[in-house]
Amino acid sequence: MGESINLAVEAKGISKSFGGVLALDNVNLELRKGEVHALLGENGAGKTTLSNILAGLYRADGGTVLVDGAEREFHSPSQAIEAGIGMVHQHFRLVPPMTVAENLHLGSPDTPAIVSQKKLVASARRMMDEIGLEVDPTARVWQLSVGEQQRVEILRVLARGAKVLILDEPTAVLTAQEAKDLFVVIRRLVAGGRTVVFISHKLNEVIEISDRITVLRGGKHVVTRDAAGATPRELARLMTGEELDNSVEHRTVDGSVVLDLIDVFARNHRGIEALHGVNLQVRSGEILGIAGVSGNGQTELSEVVTGLRRTQSGSISIAGTDVTGGTTRSIAELGVGHIPEDRIGVGMAGSASVKDNAILRHYRSSELSSGTRLKRGSVIDFAKRLVAAGRVQTRSINMPAGQMSGGNQQRLVAKRESMIADRLLVAAHPTRGLDVLATKEVQSAIVERRDNGCAVLMISDDLDEVMLMSDRIAVMYEGRVMGIFDRSQFDRERIGMLMGGQVEGAPS
Amino acid sequence: MSLPFRFARRLEVNNKRSTSYRISGAIAGLVASGLLLLLTSRNPIRLLGQSLDAIFGSQRGIEGVMVQSIPILMCAIGVALSLRMKIWNIGSDGQFLMGAFAAVGVGTKLDVPHWLLIILMALIASIAGAAWILIPALARAYWGVNEIITTLLLNFVALQLVLWSALGFWRDKKSQVTQSTEAVQAVLPRFPGLDSVSISFIVPIVLAVLFWFVFRSTRVGYEIDMIGGNANAAEFAGINVKRRIVTVMLLTGAIAGLGGMLQLTGAPGAQALSGGFSNRFGLSGFIVAALAGASFAGVLVAGLFISAMFYAGIALQTKGLSVYIIFGIYGVVLVGIAVGETMARFRLTRTDPTSAATTTGASA
């Protein structure tokens, strides 16, 4: 009995299926008061489904939910929040043109029908004082950084009296500093007796912030354990059910220069100079990783190389062909693939079918078209082949690509681009947002291209990933290449200093 | 408190289901209209009988629907083409009028053999329709100006220009009817075996089949669909998006403009230009394209259906039914089709009885 008093929420035997697919199978979850409880699992493990049931967005097919010892069933998120359970979703549900104060009061039953901006701001300040979280209440949401917007979401949920706060992959959208700030907020909340459910598949983070960890796999409960003493390797095994070999073989190759940038200058989309005389060479059979804090010209670099952005001056050549000012199409035809940073916004059309997205780079080839006509049979064969080879999980190639999970959209784009990358693959944040298994798959695909003689330019703001994957590392800071490290010279500390603009870290 | 059924979104909507839901929606709309008519103490069954009789009872009825359908289909095909690119051309009425305007200019002023005149009129009408959308097309492609507003506003300009010509510079001074231009003398031959339908009826059918093929099996069709799906992705793949937008928009204008010329030289009693020359064909065409979901086979079906309703409405007016009631029925049927289209994306599932049972013990 003593323990059940300490339980904020107890979910017993929760099951849920979607269209015949079992998403949750008899899952139990106990949330104690004042703890950070991590829900860990691969994409599709059931983390989000379980939280959506607790937050009243879905209804369970079976099982019971006890809040403070009393059985409850929620038909809507507002009923869940009345019972004290609130959720902050991965994609924010704020109204960008409205102020923070307005957003905090939006849809709340306590907001009076007629109210002045002044009263809203005052009431917002009161909420922030009570909860102990600060955001300028008069600022408009679109002016805020992503981290601040997330704080508004958290405030909005807590202001309705939530005692249990569910955060769905809260750090996926944050910078490293913002993530640190969020952790401070989380610790303060649990110190005040609240419960935080932290959904993630980033293992280091989970170990750092949580008190207890529940691992789900394939809709089933695997284990609930204390975070203290857990290792990333052990958690990864529990999540994936297999031992992952997380190493990449490196060797020094002396391939010919494929990508050659000489003194390249370019502006960003706001017209400000983003590349400041970049000199870089990527050789056949090597992965050159670009390390740097995001926003230091990496995005523009990938865009000038693939023809999406004009250069101001300097020259770019690929396999000896000058491509300065070339079109995306002419560059792609040289055998250049591009996994773009914004996959959904640039790399694919979500409303178009998986099939149409699969052929985006190949539809002009003689395999898929003759003259002006597309060969429909070959198109279907090709799409099926790509889906199978890229391990894209989809019910049908005629389904809109945007309805697949993010990981599968990523696999589709990554495979499509790898297939045309005979000479050069430009991969911008290729594993961002992916779970452990999918990350491993995409990384192996990149290594496989390299081993076949392709030159790879890889951009990532995850230094661990850059150090794992790269044969050489170039550090970028404020649009310049600060230094280039051979694998034997890799030194996290020196690379980190260069990323911050301190030249003492430069390699000899 | 909880319903035994609920709606769940379908992951995939196939064309067959979508079509059958739309048709069921149209039928439901007709039934609902019948109930409304009952409330006004009219006999819906008899009115339906009269409508069907007006359409199918005689060759005249069927021909009337065909005549009605030509301008609607021409506008609808143009609109559907731009909708594939997610471009909303609301201005097909204006392009239609400008096509007719240019055709009248050539048709009444040039003295050449009629067969040559017909060809020249078709050409100039297509060019005029395209020219009327040139500015919205360039503005949309190069500066991102919303085409809905620009194309819509140009409709009013086109209408004023037509009125000006009919009342002013091209007014037919010999005619009793003072508010129209001179009639063109070169007209299209009748469709073999028909009294009032000209051979222009085959033009929208040929165009619909052509575009159906283009979007089914050609690279250009695929590129247009990808631009509609995500212009950034199309650009990423090396498609010249701006140029394609301009080309497709000009083509939609040209089709509507050609429609104006076909009406002028083909429809009975429409050989002169006046303020009432376009009976809101652009609007009907837009509705047809939207109902058809920009599918070209669908455009033909929906276009003939709307034209039949139009024609039945005219026939019922002569039976003393107010034009407003006819518009009302028109609206209810369209809503029925739109609801059907939405319903096709969902399915009804049974909520699990066990979870319904636990509901009772909820707020204890």
Side-chain angles (χ1 to χ4, degrees), chain B residues 242-312:
Chain B
K242 291 184 170 110
R243 211 173 60 198
R244 279 261 184 279
I245 288 179
V246 172
T247 320
V248 166
M249 283 180 81
L250 291 184
L251 195 53
T252 74
I255 293 168
L258 180 63
M261 175 270 177
L262 294 180
Q263 180 77 350
L264 187 78
T265 52
Q271 274 62 57
L273 199 54
S274 68
F277 182 79
S278 168
N279 197 358
R280 300 259 179 160
F281 295 129
L283 182 68
S284 300
F286 192 85
I287 292 170
V288 166
L291 285 179
S295 120
F296 288 93
V299 160
L300 285 183
V301 175
L304 287 170
F305 177 72
I306 294 283
S307 305
M309 278 191 64
F310 233 51
Y311 185 79

Side-chain angles (χ1 to χ4, degrees), chain A residues 336-344 346-348 357-358 360-362 382 385-387 389-392 404-422 424-432 434 438-449 454 456 465 469, chain B residues 236:
Chain A
V336 178
H338 180 200
I339 304 173
E341 185 173 349
D342 181 1
R343 262 140 341 236
I344 295 157
V346 175
M348 54 177 274
N357 277 291
L360 187 60
R361 288 293 204 175
H362 299 80
F382 177 87
R385 248 185 6 249
L386 189 146
V387 159
R391 294 221 244 163
V392 181
M404 296 192 298
S405 71
N408 282 313
Q409 296 179 19
Q410 169 81 336
R411 287 191 182 104
L412 176 71
V413 174
K415 189 69 204 174
R416 188 188 70 202
E417 298 302 319
S418 304
M419 281 174 80
I420 62 163
D422 291 331
L424 174 68
L425 177 63
V426 178
H429 310 283
T431 62
R432 186 186 272 174
L434 294 187
T439 296
K440 187 69 209 155
E441 275 172 28
V442 169
Q443 288 175 344
S444 313
I446 292 173
V447 171
E448 184 266 337
R449 283 312 318 145
C454 180
V456 179
E465 183 175 47
M469 298 279 294
Chain B
F236 173 81

Side-chain angles (χ1 to χ4, degrees), chain B residues 155-176:
Chain B
N155 282 343
F156 301 106
V157 182
L159 184 59
Q160 292 305 319
L161 197 59
V162 164
L163 281 173
W164 183 21
S165 70
L167 300 173
F169 57 92
W170 281 346
R171 187 166 68 91
D172 182 3
K173 294 175 183 88
K174 287 166 288 186
S175 160
Q176 309 285 21

